[in-house]
Amino acid sequence: METFFSGVELLMRWDVVLALFVGSIGGVIIGAIPGVGAAVAIAILLPATFSLDPIVGLTMLLGIYGSSMYGGALPAILINTPGTAVNALTTYDGYPMTKRGQARRALALAYSASFWGGMFGILCLIFLSPVLALVAPHFGSREIFLAALLGIILVVLAHRGQVFAAGGLAGFGILLHTVGLDVKYNQRMTFEQTWLTGGFDLIVVVLGLFALSQAFLLLTDKDSAPHPQPVEGSLANAMKETWLYKRVATVAGGFGVLMGMIPGVGEFTAQFMSYTYARKTSKTPDDFGDGAPEGLIASEAANNAVPAAAMIPLLALGIPGEALTAMMLSVFYVHNVIPGPQLFQSQLDFVYALYVAMILLNVIVIIFLIFSTNLLTKIIQVPTRFLGMIILTLSFVGVYSLRNSVVDCAIAAGFGILGLVLKRLNLPIVPIVLGMVLGGIMEVKLRSAMIRVKDPLDFVDRPIAAMLAATIVLVIVLHIRTLRKEHNARLAESEIDHEMHDTQQR
């Protein structure tokens, strides 16, 4: 209990409180502006957080991460345009309710379901992280290597229909990590170019792929400035309706936690599983897609449970599951705070401070939204090209501030163009970032593990290593089996089509 109060005391500093408010409210505003999103904002702010205390920087980033999806529901419901990508499913039932004159009800359901999912995810984080931290000391170099390898495989396989592209991009991320000097100061992949000796900085790559690419996209697309109608009536009273659908909200939060803990899966899978569950158990399944309250609650509760759940493997094992936690990992490393079991043993007050910060950010956000929804509708009206110019400027300022290097700005611009091309082709960007981060973990752990490995079986001669290796094989086998089933189903459909065609010709 004394450690808990130390964590609370750590949060009571004026700079931490300010960071919490800036991150929480800033995340809502960023989420409410279509075309920005948490990834862009966190990428821009990363260089600034390196000069702050770790608790201050992480509190600000957690605030943006945890609150952006609250704000993203606002344009999804009012103008049928999701503020963040993960609010896309919210448009299915939120916008039809707005068209029927129920905008206030839809927003109240979305906000309260988001709060429900967020708090559920934080409770799971508090209870599950220590359990994983107890298991984590049994993780040696081999186990962490296999866990990181499993993470990359899951990230790749999570991109259904784009597995080869995701695998290639993850491999490209691993390749980017190898550029520069290795642990023995040998030059790798530098081609005698001095500017490549330092390798590709993760933050420069992240700013290019996420922030600059989004700026280029906004600047090259047609300019737009939507005009949503103001919301009338009290939101606080309308929020009570969520209690009628507490089963759907809780199950959706459970899906969010489960999917958030698995690397590469995240909000989209959690949302669709929750939405499918809500529709199958609803008394009015035909209303889904046409303004069903359960559908809106399932979507928002699921996606807001994911951020806290994604912190579980990050804090307990030091392994990020997606791009935003990978960015946060860089903040830990810059300040020499290493996530994993030692964090729970030596800096438990720091961990408790993060837990309390996540609870407070949800409370701050819900109070802010109750009183400022109509003010946020004005922010939605920012012209997209003006927004693109702001992101472009802030991104280059952030990149230059890292090392005062024009070369870094040129590298970031190159990755920005690559990110724009990938977005235009509808290809994933996240595997590149996770390839760089997990590739670094895998290389270090593989080097240290190989000292003790005499033959291949030595790699899996311990229980946890054997379980992880078996899981990797099982995941790949199940994926191949799924692909075969889908292939056979397509063959059967084509045969039926041919038979029908032949019958019609006769």
Side-chain angles (χ1 to χ4, degrees):
M1 188 60 86
E2 185 181 336
T3 316
F4 173 77
F5 285 119
S6 298
V8 174
E9 190 178 335
L10 195 61
L11 271 183
M12 291 300 103
R13 288 167 33 189
W14 71 268
D15 52 351
V16 181
V17 172
L18 180 63
L20 186 61
F21 273 91
V22 169
S24 304
I25 296 171
V28 174
I29 294 169
I30 287 159
I33 305 171
V36 184
V40 175
I42 289 175
I44 291 171
L45 284 172
L46 264 181
T49 59
F50 292 162
S51 60
L52 304 173
D53 282 353
I55 186 64
V56 178
L58 283 168
T59 300
M60 186 185 296
L61 297 184
L62 275 174
I64 293 169
Y65 184 24
S67 63
S68 61
M69 286 176 278
Y70 279 91
L74 186 68
I77 289 168
L78 295 182
I79 59 172
N80 202 28
T81 303
T84 69
V86 296
N87 293 106
L89 200 60
T90 306
T91 61
Y92 286 21
D93 294 287
Y95 187 62
M97 290 176 78
T98 298
K99 289 198 293 184
R100 292 205 301 262
Q102 297 179 334
R104 179 174 67 94
R105 182 190 179 202
L107 287 170
L109 288 171
Y111 294 162
S112 50
S114 297
F115 183 76
W116 190 300
M119 297 302 287
F120 184 85
I122 294 163
L123 289 174
C124 291
L125 168 66
I126 292 169
F127 288 115
L128 293 177
S129 289
V131 175
L132 265 181
L134 289 173
V135 178
H138 301 288
F139 276 66
S141 298
R142 284 168 277 181
E143 286 81 5
I144 293 176
F145 169 79
L146 289 168
L149 178 61
L150 176 62
I152 287 225
I153 290 169
L154 288 170
V155 167
V156 170
L157 297 185
H159 292 86
R160 297 294 296 272
Q162 295 181 317
V163 170
F164 287 110
L169 291 168
F172 177 61
I174 295 171
L175 179 69
L176 289 175
H177 164 75
T178 64
V179 176
L181 300 176
D182 68 4
V183 291
K184 294 182 179 179
Y185 299 102
N186 298 313
Q187 291 196 20
R188 301 185 299 187
M189 312 287 288
T190 58
F191 307 104
E192 299 183 357
Q193 299 293 313
T194 53
W195 62 276
L196 283 174
T197 307
F200 290 105
D201 186 275
L202 175 66
I203 308 309
V204 174
V205 174
V206 164
L207 274 162
L209 288 174
F210 287 94
L212 285 174
S213 68
Q214 190 62 32
F216 294 154
L217 193 68
L218 292 171
L219 289 168
T220 53
D221 279 348
K222 187 179 178 182
D223 199 17
S224 63
H227 295 280
Q229 295 298 313
V231 180
E232 296 177 357
S234 170
L235 285 167
N237 292 328
M239 286 181 180
K240 297 173 186 175
E241 188 183 355
T242 304
W243 183 253
L244 301 174
Y245 305 102
K246 54 186 178 292
R247 173 184 54 82
V248 172
T250 305
V251 172
F255 278 126
V257 168
L258 186 61
M259 296 301 110
M261 288 174 63
I262 302 172
V265 180
E267 294 92 346
F268 292 106
T269 308
Q271 280 181 308
F272 281 104
M273 290 176 75
S274 305
Y275 196 82
T276 303
Y277 167 82
R279 184 166 53 195
K280 286 184 176 178
T281 57
S282 174
K283 294 177 181 177
T284 55
D286 294 338
D287 289 348
F288 280 69
D290 193 33
E294 300 107 305
L296 186 57
I297 288 168
S299 170
E300 286 297 306
N303 65 28
N304 278 271
V306 169
M311 295 294 291
I312 296 172
L314 179 72
L315 291 176
L317 302 174
I319 295 176
E322 38 75 75
L324 298 179
T325 46
M327 294 182 206
M328 288 182 203
L329 184 62
S330 66
V331 180
F332 278 101
Y333 283 157
V334 162
H335 294 285
N336 204 27
V337 178
I338 310 301
Q342 63 272 25
L343 187 67
F344 287 82
Q345 292 166 6
S346 61
Q347 293 179 279
L348 190 58
D349 57 340
F350 181 83
V351 176
Y352 280 136
L354 290 179
Y355 292 164
V356 176
M358 293 187 78
I359 292 171
L360 289 175
L361 81 86
N362 278 274
V363 175
I364 291 167
V365 167
I366 202 74
I367 294 171
F368 176 70
L369 285 170
I370 288 172
F371 294 104
S372 62
T373 291
N374 280 326
L375 180 64
L376 288 171
T377 59
K378 305 292 183 188
I379 294 166
I380 298 173
Q381 300 173 25
V382 176
T384 52
R385 285 188 178 168
F386 176 71
L387 195 60
M389 205 62 232
I390 292 174
I391 295 171
L392 188 74
T393 306
L394 292 175
S395 300
F396 277 122
V397 168
V399 172
Y400 189 76
S401 68
L402 283 171
R403 296 184 290 201
N404 296 338
S405 170
V406 176
V407 173
D408 281 350
C409 293
I411 292 171
F415 279 104
I417 293 167
L418 173 63
L420 176 64
V421 171
L422 292 175
K423 285 178 178 179
R424 292 288 191 197
L425 296 175
N426 198 28
L427 292 174
I429 292 173
V430 172
I432 299 176
V433 176
L434 288 179
M436 286 187 73
V437 175
L438 294 177
I441 294 170
M442 287 165 64
E443 182 186 8
V444 171
K445 297 304 176 184
L446 182 61
R447 279 178 180 271
S448 56
M450 291 308 291
I451 298 169
R452 303 176 188 86
V453 173
K454 304 300 180 187
D455 61 70
L457 287 177
D458 287 348
F459 219 91
V460 290
D461 63 353
R462 296 197 296 200
I464 295 176
M467 285 173 59
L468 287 167
T471 305
I472 289 170
V473 173
L474 181 64
V475 165
I476 293 171
V477 168
L478 288 174
H479 182 71
I480 293 170
R481 187 182 170 193
T482 303
L483 289 178
R484 286 191 63 185
K485 279 186 176 179
E486 290 175 355
H487 179 66
N488 291 336
R490 283 196 297 268
L491 284 177
E493 284 179 13
S494 63
E495 285 176 8
I496 292 169
D497 290 340
H498 280 305
E499 287 175 6
M500 289 177 66
H501 182 67
D502 291 341
T503 305
Q504 287 173 356
Q505 282 189 331
R506 290 187 195 128

